[in-house]
């Protein structure tokens, strides 16, 4: 009963000026640990190596392990989560702890928005910032609900985000004409 009252009170409240959404994938942390293990292996080889096959092979093994490990670490940590920020002028998508890659889409470039109930990495070719010619662009950090933006140029942009319904509702509210006969 108490939840119904809270939900009704939220429905009557004016929409926030800035709306924030987020999606997180904790599995990416496991992949980052694998990358750290590769870096540790490279350091271990460099410090305590008993290789008798030559210095060139040792250097290639050390550099290879460290480079592969760092690529995995930074590649996975960039897509541990995605943040969506919607204000009165634009929608901004930021990935990972650094906020890169980032994309700002002005609201006047958005033709419409809808909820995608089942966005999966398999449909987009994996986690991360993806582009498929037949589907458009997406930021996929986990499977589940997402927001699909239809842009005026015919492209689509999909973002996995928790509470996609609220995001779509806010986007649609912001896309409404401000006065009769004008387009926003």
């Amino acid at each position: 009963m108490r939840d119904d009252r809270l939900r009704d009170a939220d429905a009557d409240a004016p929409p926030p000026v800035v709306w924030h959404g987020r999606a997180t994938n904790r599995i990416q942390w496991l992949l980052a640990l694998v990358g750290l293990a590769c870096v540790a292996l490279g350091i271990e080889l460099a410090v305590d190596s008993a290789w008798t096959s030559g210095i060139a092979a040792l250097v290639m093994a050390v550099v290879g392990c460290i480079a592969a490990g760092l690529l995995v670490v930074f590649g996975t940590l960039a897509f541990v989560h995605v943040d969506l920020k919607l204000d009165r002028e634009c929608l901004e998508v930021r990935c990972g702890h650094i906020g890169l890659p980032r994309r700002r889409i002005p609201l006047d470039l958005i033709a419409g928005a809808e909820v995608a109930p089942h966005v999966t990495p398999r449909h987009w070719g994996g986690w991360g910032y993806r582009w498929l010619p037949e589907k458009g662009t997406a930021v996929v950090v986990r499977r589940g609900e997402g927001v699909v933006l239809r842009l005026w140029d015919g492209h689509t942009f999909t973002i996995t985000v928790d509470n996609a319904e609220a995001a779509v509702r806010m986007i649609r509210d912001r896309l409404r004409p401000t006065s009769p006969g004008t387009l926003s």
Side-chain angles (χ1 to χ4, degrees):
M1 182 78 167
R2 188 169 198 273
D3 292 331
D4 291 337
R5 281 184 280 154
L6 288 175
R7 196 174 302 126
D8 290 341
D10 289 343
D12 295 337
V17 174
V18 178
W19 186 88
H20 293 275
R22 184 179 197 148
T24 302
N25 185 347
R26 289 184 176 87
I27 293 174
Q28 295 284 66
W29 287 106
L30 295 175
L31 295 173
L33 289 176
V34 169
L36 288 175
C38 286
V39 171
L41 176 62
I43 292 170
E44 173 65 23
L45 287 173
V47 172
D48 188 31
S49 67
W51 283 36
T52 57
S53 59
I55 191 77
L58 176 62
V59 169
M60 288 178 10
V62 169
V63 170
C65 284
I66 292 174
L70 290 175
L71 282 172
V72 170
V73 167
F74 290 119
T76 56
L77 291 181
F79 295 102
V80 168
H81 67 267
V82 63
D83 289 318
L84 185 99
K85 177 182 161 189
L86 174 67
D87 59 24
R88 296 198 186 279
E89 299 170 5
C90 71
L91 180 133
E92 183 177 54
V93 179
R94 302 175 111 203
C95 299
H97 298 290
I98 301 172
L100 295 173
R102 176 190 325 190
R103 181 162 181 193
R104 286 180 62 104
I105 304 171
L107 291 178
D108 58 354
L109 297 181
I110 300 173
E114 56 196 45
V115 175
H118 302 292
V119 178
T120 66
R122 186 184 68 187
H123 292 133
W124 286 95
W127 285 309
Y129 200 98
R130 299 296 188 184
W131 175 76
L132 294 173
E134 68 276 1
K135 294 184 87 167
T137 307
V139 176
V140 181
V141 297
R142 54 120 174 102
R143 77 176 94 175
E145 64 182 337
V147 175
V148 178
L149 301 175
R150 286 179 289 106
L151 305 177
W152 285 110
D153 63 3
H155 294 97
T156 62
F157 188 71
T158 304
I159 310 115
T160 54
V161 65
D162 296 334
N163 200 4
E165 265 187 48
V168 167
R169 191 170 41 250
M170 290 294 297
I171 292 166
R172 287 178 180 167
D173 286 346
R174 304 270 163 95
L175 293 179
R176 289 190 182 144
T178 53
S179 62
T182 62
L183 296 176
S184 58

